[in-house]
Amino acid sequence: MSKQKIVVIGNGMVGHNFIEKLVASEGYDNFEVHTFCEEPRVAYDRVYLSSYFSGKTAEDLTLVKPKFYEKNGVNIYINDKAVDIDRSAKTVTSEAGITISYDKLVMATGSYPFVPPIEGNNRDGCLVYRTIEDLDAMKEVAARGKVGVVVGGGLLGLEAAKALVDLGLDTHVVEFAPRLMPVQLDDGGAALLKRKIENLGVTVHTSKATTMITDGQHCMNKMVFADGEELETDMVLFSAGIRPRDDLGAKVGLELGPRGGILIDNQCRTNDPNVFAIGECALHDGMIYGLVAPGYAMAQAVVNQLNAEPGSFEGADMSTKLKLMGIDVASIGDPHGNDENALSYVYENGPEEIYKKIVVTPDGKKLLGAVLVGDAEDFGNLLQIMLNDMDLPDHPDMLILPNRDGGGSELFGPDALPETAQLCSCYDVSKGDIVNAIEGGCCTMADIKATTEAGTGCGGCVQLVTNVLNSELEKRGVEVNTDICEHFGHTRQELYHICQVEEIKDFDTLLSKHGKGCGCEVCKQAVGSIFASLWNSYALEEDKIALQDTNDNYLGNMQKDGTYSVIPRVPGGEITPQKLIVLGEVATKYKLYTKVNGGQRIVLFGAQMNDLPAIWKTLIEAGFESGQAYAKSLRTVKSCVGSTWCRFGLDDSVTMAIALENRYKGLRSPHKLKMGVSGCTRECAEAQAKDIGLISTENGWNLFVCGNGGMKPRHADLFATDLTTEQVFKYVDRLLMFYIKTADRMQRTATWMDNLEGGLAYLQDVVINDSLGMGEALEAQMEALHNTYKCDWKTAIENPEFTKRFRSFVNVDTPAEQLFVQERGQIRPATEAEKLAGIAVEIKQIA
Amino acid sequence: MSEFIQVCSTNDLVKNSGVAALINGTQVALFYINDEVYALNNYDPIGKANVMSRGMIGDLKGELMVAAPLQKQHYSLKTGVCMDVEGVSIPSYEAKIENNQVFVKL
């Protein structure tokens, strides 16, 4: 049987999603797929376009996995536009002259930005916001000007305004309607949103109609409004809505709606049964859906039909939740109460800048819509109540009133949701999928994200998914308790803040005021680390000793046989020959095993506890410092040789690595940290596998964060690009200090970021845009820690009280017996079998 | 019948932590908490190394314990019984403080 030929016109988000779904379907072997892509690159994420200005590259935005089309035998014609269709011959012809026959044709031509018919709308500096090429044009104009205006205060317009802010322009938003986001918000919500956006330095003009764009005096352009006012601007960015790309369909006789859009039925079929239309070019039941999720649902419906499975598109919910410039905004169902008998409840909190409204049926039984601005935590819950047509409580207002007494209504807890409830609309993950993942062993939000993809798209469902996770774990008898241990009813983050606010500097005080019992290895270590992070306290002080695990307690890593490793700091991996000689001499004298470890440092293994002070005395005299390799703190900054020696190096990666290592050495954190600096994108230092990574480019440093991951390896995320050295330190200061303040005990940066609601974007907002207003405080705290840094080992050997700690036995001077065997010319710990067989040599007499 | 052996002074102990002593060829871990001293053998039967004195101490559900520094199993300071793995225990010894001197009975 010959294969059915499918041709897809358009390789945007929906067109690509259709092909992905078709490829993943069981019947894929029966199809031969061809697709035309008029842009010079394959499908990319238009939802997150603005991140192009906060550090993402076009490659980062791509939606296509490497070699996806090649591997799956899909023929893609990039940079080639389909220009004609012969419906009777069933062929498509492209601009380049390729003609492909089809059995079924899928129109996924998308939409274009609407540019209002204003005089001067095609002047230099007048742009739209849709493609990567548009973004490059924006960059170019921004480089020449200072002021930018977005025409259109809808969803996309405000997203575009963020892009202008990121480009460093004095930003304005001009909206024709009397309020922002007129489709999704009511007056109250829009008024608050306007206030909040203006606080961020964006000027908002509502009820403004532009009549003309002409020459400006100070700027390239001047906008003239119907009320006679004028606004000078360099860039005018039109974001006044979208129009379906239906021209090709119209040309070949596909039926359109009265105001455009290719008409489709519930099967996404056009008036030609062999032609489907999906996404923003399609008009379904009078609606053009300008969101991506309905487009994906249409794609699924068509894939099902091609595979002769039931599937239809019955319309989609337009509810949406997003973070606009760090502000939570959500709209559910009909927020305007278009049913004139509908009733509404409003909660407005002026001081905290929160606005919430719900619209209910006249009998108060069902939810019709909602608006949330400033705090959208209830979004998931309210959306599910509406989508699942659940009955409301007797007093529906309790759904939006703050839960100040902590009582809370269980009526709409996660248990009330049906299994079919779709929690994550980006990846179509239902409550049932989450429950299955938990059955399969997922216990944390990070597990759930990795297994189901829920929460990895827009992040809007994280709160709700977390609630389901916790509730399900509880049902399975897993106690969801965020207390650090039985001695404190607090998380690590809470203990950190308690110690900071009350200036607590010793464990006994903390325990007597906030805990119970004697403590244990969990809380003591965490508190020891907190004291070190807050006050740079020293591990061997009398009242701190008990808080250290053996590594911190003896300033070395305990190895399996009870000996310790000695790792001096070698910033950036740069070491003088003289220092190498000293390391060799010490290793010889104390018969230590010597190796270069995974972090590019030289380690000396097998040191007896009682020899540690003498070993370190020699090393410190030779100019070494402690490498803190025993601590939850900065371990190493790996680097290549950079521009100094390398033919390809763009910047001096060694100097940068040394500077990083010296700034953050000794910094105590919830988990150990590693950094890397590469002098070019060949990435010899593997900086993208580190907690903090830098890669030099022609335009400056690219900063990567929260990689590594430990047992679950994780690539770092690109955080910001083209940074100066000064910016690098500012951002790293803020990010690390924010991590230290907010992470759980023993939580690596990777898991920490995965568990932050909003993930990377939120972190960028906090660090780069200083959305919490604490940037300077974070930098100051880091500076204070840096200024009070002391080498642990120098402090130890200078004080007999501290060195006393390293005696093998308190009552005799005999060193402890230690058994080794020789291998490849060096010692290693004897195995149990070797000990029993008596072939291990005892090494305790040091010359 | 063994006797109490004088080992060291309380100044040699570290409050809320452990130290090791060598008593007639036996390595003993001494733990000092709530003004009492507790003595266990220094050998970690699971980690197979003489390291118990370097574990962190505290309490779990009211019972005083030491967490083995290698693999973190908990052992009762009073009895030496492992609280995590059945059938495992560390020899424990009677210990006392008199006139700031520490005594252990092996």
Side-chain angles (χ1 to χ4, degrees), chain A residues 29-100:
Chain A
D29 282 348
N30 304 323
F31 301 106
E32 176 186 322
V33 183
H34 296 259
T35 183
F36 290 96
C37 171
E38 72 177 281
E39 286 192 50
R41 57 179 65 76
V42 289
Y44 53 89
D45 195 342
R46 286 190 219 276
V47 178
Y48 283 104
L49 266 192
S50 70
S51 65
Y52 190 71
F53 296 117
S54 50
K56 293 265 166 134
T57 62
E59 290 73 45
D60 293 326
L61 288 171
T62 187
L63 292 171
V64 183
K65 297 199 176 86
K67 302 214 180 292
F68 170 82
Y69 287 101
E70 292 92 316
K71 272 190 217 157
N72 293 296
V74 175
N75 306 284
I76 180 161
Y77 309 100
I78 296 172
N79 223 344
D80 194 7
K81 181 179 172 182
V83 289
D84 205 5
I85 302 167
D86 184 337
R87 290 205 284 127
S88 53
K90 296 215 274 186
T91 59
V92 179
T93 302
S94 76
E95 211 161 45
I98 302 172
T99 298
I100 310 269

Side-chain angles (χ1 to χ4, degrees), chain A residues 207-223:
Chain A
S207 301
K208 276 258 183 277
T210 314
T211 53
M212 184 171 66
I213 303 168
T214 178
D215 280 337
Q217 284 196 317
H218 317 291
C219 300
M220 277 151 52
N221 292 300
K222 181 173 75 179
M223 300 175 74

Side-chain angles (χ1 to χ4, degrees), chain A residues 8 10 37 120 187 208 386 433 450 654 657 691 713 756 812 824-825:
Chain A
V8 185
C37 171
D187 287 337
K208 276 258 183 277
M386 188 192 75
D433 296 331
V654 179
D691 297 274
L756 283 179
V812 291
R824 293 187 290 272

Side-chain angles (χ1 to χ4, degrees), chain A residues 560 828-838 840, chain B residues 43 45-49:
Chain A
K560 60 189 287 185
R828 67 157 169 81
T831 64
E832 286 307 294
E834 286 162 342
K835 285 181 199 167
L836 290 172
Chain B
Y43 190 72
I46 294 174
K48 302 201 185 303

Side-chain angles (χ1 to χ4, degrees), chain A residues 818-823 826-843:
Chain A
Q818 205 70 45
L819 296 173
F820 300 101
V821 292
Q822 297 274 332
E823 188 174 83
Q826 300 202 70
I827 59 154
R828 67 157 169 81
T831 64
E832 286 307 294
E834 286 162 342
K835 285 181 199 167
L836 290 172
I839 54 174
V841 291
E842 184 184 327
I843 300 182

Side-chain angles (χ1 to χ4, degrees), chain A residues 270-490:
Chain A
T270 65
N271 57 318
D272 179 336
N274 292 316
V275 181
F276 297 93
I278 57 177
E280 292 177 351
C281 66
L283 181 73
H284 176 266
D285 199 15
M287 274 292 278
I288 300 275
Y289 288 99
L291 295 177
V292 75
Y296 288 177
M298 293 178 199
Q300 185 65 59
V302 176
V303 167
N304 287 356
Q305 287 168 69
L306 292 176
N307 280 302
E309 286 164 12
S312 60
F313 176 78
E314 317 264 342
D317 179 64
M318 292 291 281
S319 300
T320 157
K321 171 187 167 181
L322 65 161
K323 244 192 170 62
L324 284 168
M325 297 186 235
I327 305 162
D328 279 327
V329 181
S331 162
I332 293 172
D334 166 24
H336 304 304
N338 284 337
D339 174 348
E340 60 185 43
N341 294 318
L343 303 171
S344 63
Y345 297 85
V346 177
Y347 169 74
E348 189 161 10
N349 179 332
E352 290 176 32
E353 299 196 316
I354 294 168
Y355 178 89
K356 300 179 182 184
K357 173 169 124 174
I358 52 173
V359 180
V360 303
T361 50
D363 60 5
K365 286 259 162 51
K366 303 286 182 187
L367 185 67
L368 294 174
V371 175
L372 309 167
V373 177
D375 171 7
E377 209 171 288
D378 300 328
F379 174 77
N381 204 16
L382 292 171
L383 178 65
Q384 295 300 334
I385 290 170
M386 188 192 75
L387 292 181
N388 294 295
D389 205 25
M390 291 157 74
D391 281 335
L392 294 176
D394 290 343
H395 302 287
D397 51 347
M398 66 195 279
L399 293 172
I400 48 170
L401 290 176
N403 181 12
R404 299 225 191 265
D405 58 2
S409 153
E410 276 307 299
L411 179 58
F412 291 109
D415 290 354
L417 296 173
E419 293 283 299
T420 51
Q422 187 198 47
L423 305 188
C424 168
S425 57
C426 297
Y427 289 98
D428 188 21
V429 183
S430 68
K431 179 184 164 188
D433 296 331
I434 302 291
V435 172
N436 284 340
I438 295 165
E439 297 272 329
C442 290
C443 294
T444 64
M445 193 55 211
D447 292 346
I448 295 279
K449 282 182 177 178
T451 309
T452 66
E453 295 193 284
T456 59
C458 71
C461 63
V462 170
Q463 187 70 38
L464 191 62
V465 175
T466 306
N467 292 346
V468 170
L469 172 69
N470 289 345
S471 152
E472 292 297 318
L473 287 178
E474 251 169 61
K475 272 190 241 163
R476 286 161 178 73
V478 180
E479 200 179 325
V480 183
N481 185 343
T482 54
D483 295 353
I484 195 158
C485 68
E486 66 180 65
H487 303 100
F488 290 95
H490 298 286

